[in-house]
Amino acid sequence: MGTKNDNKIGMGKFWGWQARAISMGCMTIVMGYLTIFCTDTLMLPAGLVGTLLLISKVTDGITDLIAGYLIENTKTRWGKARPYELFIIALWLCTWLLFTCPENVSTVVKCTWIFIMYTLVNSIFATFLISNQTPYMLRAFDTQEKIVKVNAYGGIVVTIGCAVVSMLFPSMMATMATSGAGWSRLVGLFAIPLAVLGILRFVLVKETVTLEDDEDSKVSFSDIFELLKSNKHLYIPVFIAFFYNFVLNMNAYTYYFKYIGGGIERYTMLAALSMPLLIVMFIFPKLMEKGVTIRQIIMFGAICGAIGWGMNFFAGDNMTILMIAAVLYTFAGLPIAYLSGLMILDCAEYNVLMGKKRMETTIAAVNSVGTKIGAGLGIATLGFLLSGFGYDGSLEVQSDSAIMGIRLIFSVIPAVVYVIIAILCKVYKLDHILADLREKQAK
């Protein structure tokens, strides 16, 4: 990377970079409502919805590696990764089309529509937008300090943007999403401004950094397979991304608040809690300066998340308990969402220190596999479990077994997953290995 001592990012560059992050984060929030749209508006069985989304995810492992290969070998006048930012427009177009599926067509047509649009959103457009993140960052910011700042302090901006959508969407959903046409209008109101916002990264952030191995950066599929065999450290960040996105997308808050928590509009109160938690984003860089590692920060957060999710089982419609729990599991998600990407950079640095190609794009693509398979399995698991517990979207009042299923999905299952994330952080040792390798190289 560059050797400049000036670690100021610049306002245009900082805000441009965060604009697309906000857009993608809000897309994830909107997609969290897909299952309830399918079950309660399109009247598709929850198990069928889960099966559709799971089948769609089979393509992700293939498209992620293809995306990594293409980006690794891209050279244009706009740069290596920057051109793929244009996919944000197509991402939001297909997200809107996903929620525009007609109610009065056959089940086969509905399933085909949902499958095609969901696959385009996740397996194609989101794949390239996630895979290009790390190589773009390395070529846009010339010091490690800038990268830490843009992730940690930028996370504050992204959290605020996503919190606004998290608060607005459920209240607007309660009044607008009473039919298929209402869902289409609702998602369209968010899709247009968020697509425009998302393209600002392409407009305002250029690739200005040339990495040492950029001139000899052509990557073959054999290089990819060699990476998967030789760099075992990358799998822990991949699994952390998998489990985090599994919980994020299995989140049954729409069902919980509709049938247990007293109305979906009450969820707005929980979404607002992310605002005061922003203070911790200022703390992360300070902790890292004092020698606290990313792994340790994520592990502490995961323990808090396990406690918070577990509290939901006993909450019922008690907003005090629900809000305390939300503070804990929302805090748990912040370091994973905004700092775990630095683990990808560590894996790329490990390659270089071991005398291999950097391959940061491929590592990011492999991480994307974990992200999107976790997200798909989360949504699919939600559908399977709801179906297994007897949920019926046509009923105003659900059975006792369905209510118990919703409680478990909104508490015990994510609590167990966060315990697994804490264990993964405990066994991650690359931070120590890198410190030793840097010391040896400096001698």
Side-chain angles (χ1 to χ4, degrees), residues 73-85:
N73 294 295
T74 295
K75 290 183 180 180
T76 73
R77 64 187 181 90
W78 288 335
K80 184 186 187 77
R82 186 181 171 213
Y84 296 98
E85 288 296 308

Side-chain angles (χ1 to χ4, degrees), residues 6 58 92 113 146 152 183 190 198 211 218 239 267 284 288 304 306 311 317 320 322 373 381 385 399 401 404:
D6 182 6
V58 173
W92 275 110
W113 185 300
K146 288 182 181 180
W183 273 103
F190 287 90
L211 301 181
K218 188 169 179 60
F239 278 113
Y267 180 72
F284 292 155
M288 293 169 66
C304 293
M311 289 175 63
D317 62 354
T320 300
L322 287 168
I373 291 181
T381 301
L385 290 177
S399 65
S401 63
M404 177 56 71

